Amino acid sequence: MELKTLDIFCEIIDNYGDIGVVYRIAKELDKVFPNSKIRVFLNRIEEFKKINFQVKDIPYQIIDGIEYITFDYVQKKAKELSTSQVIIEAFGCKIPEEYMEIAYENSELLINLEYLSAEDWIEDFHLQSSPLGKGKLKKVFFMPGFTEKSGGIIIDSNYLEKIEKIRKNRAFYTKKYLGNIENKDKKIVGTLFSYEKNFATLFEELRSLDKEVVILAMGEKTQKSLKNFFKENLIEDFRNSLKYDKIEIKFMEFLNQEEYEELINIVDFNFVRGEDSFIRAILTGKPYVWHIYCQEDYIHMKKINAFLNKYKRIVKKFSDEDYLINIEKFFKDYNFRKENNMELGNESYLYFFENLAKIEYYNTIFRDFLIQKCNLINKLKDFIEKY
């Protein structure tokens, strides 16, 4: 297929992850299909305004050559807007009926882009079709994952180019984000982005390290969790930062997507949450741990196990058994919760912080494999062109 028009639909619920992924995909597809018209349809734009400061509170706008349109607008003007050759339905969102009634006959391909998963079953469902019951429109499932037979992960060239730019201009970006940290080179500096969590063990164990640590606290839930700890413990308050023994905590203001990407590439480690931040952290090659959202019956732990199995499959030929055992235990203990709350967990952070260089070495191996074999953008492009 020679792609001339592409529409992407995204239904934002209560977080920045969905729009973060869709915004990134739209920019990259615009780059790989330079002669195609790309539109993004959103049920609301509040979260989009946060991650991109160009966004205005209007129902129709063009940003960097891509059209962004609200669901309300398309419901009123569906016939005028018409539909595209290819439609991407992000994360099973509900596309407005006014649009779909036209798309059944006018459009050719509907791609159901699912959430990222490391579970084995997705390989069997990847690129499987599903009948829509009417019209000529065909629906296909696209399953992102961490293997060659899955849909891969979002590895956009813009981000890879940015990583290389940061590497070559490290002093500039370090000054931009870490310029107010004294003796930065003698300290461990990292980001902390989480759901609700009790970090008492983290602070107690960091006190035993032979280096000072600076934690850049990201997001409302992270900062609220930390403040809960500070209520019970004596700290020093320096207005812009807090200090607990040899640990300094800086509460970061909200960063847009580009700023967050720059920051996580110049620090020493990243604690992340959600799909988009997780993938961004993986692609840095730096040490990371993923805080997954809790689900009933510990379903989230199955997802953690599935990711760890994919990670171990790639790095085990280079690593020692002790490393794999400790990393697996840390990821599992960090996430073993019935629900996101302030209950104290069983995780220990010492192995992670005492082996940052080793973890970065193995994480780089895993990252390079994903870049070479699991690029979602390339897989999506190839599928559309061959359709």
Side-chain angles (χ1 to χ4, degrees):
M1 176 192 297
E2 181 183 352
L3 184 67
K4 296 178 180 178
T5 56
L6 171 68
D7 288 346
I8 307 173
F9 283 83
C10 176
E11 194 170 14
I12 303 168
I13 301 175
D14 62 354
N15 61 65
Y16 302 101
D18 292 352
I19 179 57
V21 169
V22 166
Y23 176 46
R24 198 182 307 285
I25 288 176
K27 289 189 295 181
E28 189 66 6
L29 290 179
D30 185 56
K31 192 172 182 178
V32 299
F33 291 113
N35 299 318
S36 303
K37 178 181 178 181
I38 296 179
R39 304 185 297 189
V40 177
F41 295 86
L42 305 169
N43 64 322
R44 65 191 199 201
I45 59 174
E46 287 305 310
E47 289 82 358
F48 191 26
K49 286 162 60 179
K50 284 281 190 178
I51 69 169
N52 184 333
F53 298 152
Q54 299 180 68
V55 179
K56 298 178 182 178
D57 196 10
I58 53 178
Y60 175 92
Q61 56 197 301
I62 300 176
I63 301 172
D64 298 328
I66 299 173
E67 298 177 34
Y68 293 91
I69 305 167
T70 64
F71 280 17
D72 288 342
Y73 190 88
V74 74
Q75 286 169 333
K76 295 174 184 176
K77 303 198 176 191
K79 291 183 179 180
E80 179 182 326
L81 291 168
S82 191
T83 66
S84 67
Q85 279 177 291
V86 177
I87 305 163
I88 295 179
E89 178 186 70
F91 318 124
C93 72
K94 184 174 176 56
I95 298 176
E97 293 181 5
E98 294 85 351
Y99 179 97
M100 284 302 301
E101 286 303 319
I102 302 171
Y104 287 126
E105 294 296 341
N106 285 15
S107 299
E108 299 177 44
L109 175 62
L110 173 61
I111 298 174
N112 184 343
L113 179 66
E114 289 288 349
Y115 283 106
L116 175 71
S117 174
E119 295 177 87
D120 293 334
W121 63 266
I122 68 168
E123 292 184 356
D124 295 328
F125 281 85
H126 181 55
L127 301 184
Q128 293 297 310
S129 60
S130 174
L132 288 169
K134 58 180 176 178
K136 67 175 186 178
L137 184 62
K138 305 297 182 183
K139 183 175 182 177
V140 174
F141 291 95
F142 202 92
M143 313 294 291
F146 297 93
T147 64
E148 302 93 320
K149 294 181 181 179
S150 73
I153 65 171
I154 301 174
I155 305 173
D156 48 304
S157 60
N158 288 329
Y159 186 45
L160 296 182
E161 290 167 4
K162 180 180 295 183
I163 292 174
E164 183 63 17
K165 182 180 178 181
I166 293 169
R167 188 186 67 80
K168 292 179 178 179
N169 300 276
R170 187 171 181 81
F172 170 81
Y173 289 100
T174 298
K175 183 177 180 181
K176 179 178 179 180
Y177 292 102
L178 310 179
N180 61 347
I181 299 176
E182 296 181 4
N183 299 317
K184 186 266 169 191
D185 292 340
K186 298 180 180 179
K187 299 177 180 178
I188 300 172
V189 183
T191 66
L192 177 57
F193 186 33
S194 70
Y195 298 108
E196 296 87 354
K197 191 168 178 63
N198 188 326
F199 287 106
T201 305
L202 171 65
F203 287 113
E204 292 308 314
E205 293 189 342
L206 288 181
R207 295 170 74 183
S208 67
L209 294 180
D210 58 2
K211 268 194 172 185
E212 295 183 45
V213 180
V214 180
I215 293 175
L216 308 178
M218 319 285 294
E220 182 180 351
K221 291 182 179 180
T222 306
Q223 295 178 3
K224 188 175 180 180
S225 295
L226 294 178
K227 288 175 182 176
N228 185 76
F229 173 81
F230 299 146
K231 286 179 183 178
E232 309 296 328
N233 294 272
L234 184 62
I235 58 169
E236 299 176 74
D237 191 338
F238 294 97
R239 293 182 62 184
N240 293 327
S241 64
L242 302 173
K243 195 161 186 183
Y244 178 71
D245 197 14
K246 61 174 69 174
I247 309 149
E248 186 177 0
I249 304 95
K250 293 184 178 293
F251 288 85
M252 303 292 288
E253 295 183 0
F254 191 93
L255 301 178
N256 64 28
Q257 194 176 72
E258 286 73 19
E259 291 170 332
Y260 179 72
E261 289 176 347
E262 291 173 352
L263 176 60
I264 63 174
N265 275 281
I266 59 169
V267 294
D268 301 307
F269 67 89
N270 294 291
F271 283 26
V272 298
R273 80 175 209 210
E275 175 183 326
D276 194 48
S277 299
F278 180 38
I279 297 303
R280 298 300 101 181
I282 288 175
L283 293 175
T284 67
K286 294 180 177 293
Y288 57 82
V289 67
W290 178 30
H291 197 193
I292 193 170
Y293 190 80
C294 286
Q295 295 176 281
E296 290 185 7
D297 300 323
Y298 295 95
I299 292 176
H300 58 287
M301 293 306 299
K302 293 181 181 179
K303 296 179 178 180
I304 287 290
N305 289 334
F307 167 72
L308 289 169
N309 288 338
K310 301 300 182 294
Y311 177 85
K312 290 188 296 181
R313 180 173 73 90
I314 301 305
V315 304
K316 67 180 181 181
K317 65 186 73 172
F318 305 96
S319 66
D320 57 83
E321 189 67 22
D322 179 68
Y323 169 77
L324 294 176
I325 290 172
N326 278 283
I327 287 299
E328 181 173 18
K329 178 173 171 48
F330 181 44
F331 263 72
K332 289 181 177 179
D333 289 347
Y334 188 79
N335 285 284
F336 189 76
R337 307 286 189 281
K338 187 174 183 180
E339 59 185 11
N340 293 313
N341 57 31
M342 299 306 296
E343 180 183 352
L344 188 63
N346 295 319
E347 67 268 22
S348 171
Y349 299 82
L350 284 178
Y351 183 88
F352 181 86
F353 283 99
E354 290 173 347
N355 293 275
L356 290 174
K358 177 186 285 191
I359 296 171
E360 183 163 354
Y361 172 74
Y362 295 127
N363 282 358
T364 300
I365 293 172
F366 185 61
R367 176 202 64 188
D368 291 346
F369 160 76
L370 294 175
I371 291 174
Q372 294 166 15
K373 303 289 186 179
C374 304
N375 189 321
L376 181 145
I377 299 298
N378 290 345
K379 288 173 177 282
L380 194 56
K381 177 178 181 290
D382 290 344
F383 175 69
I384 291 173
E385 289 180 337
K386 293 175 182 178
Y387 185 78

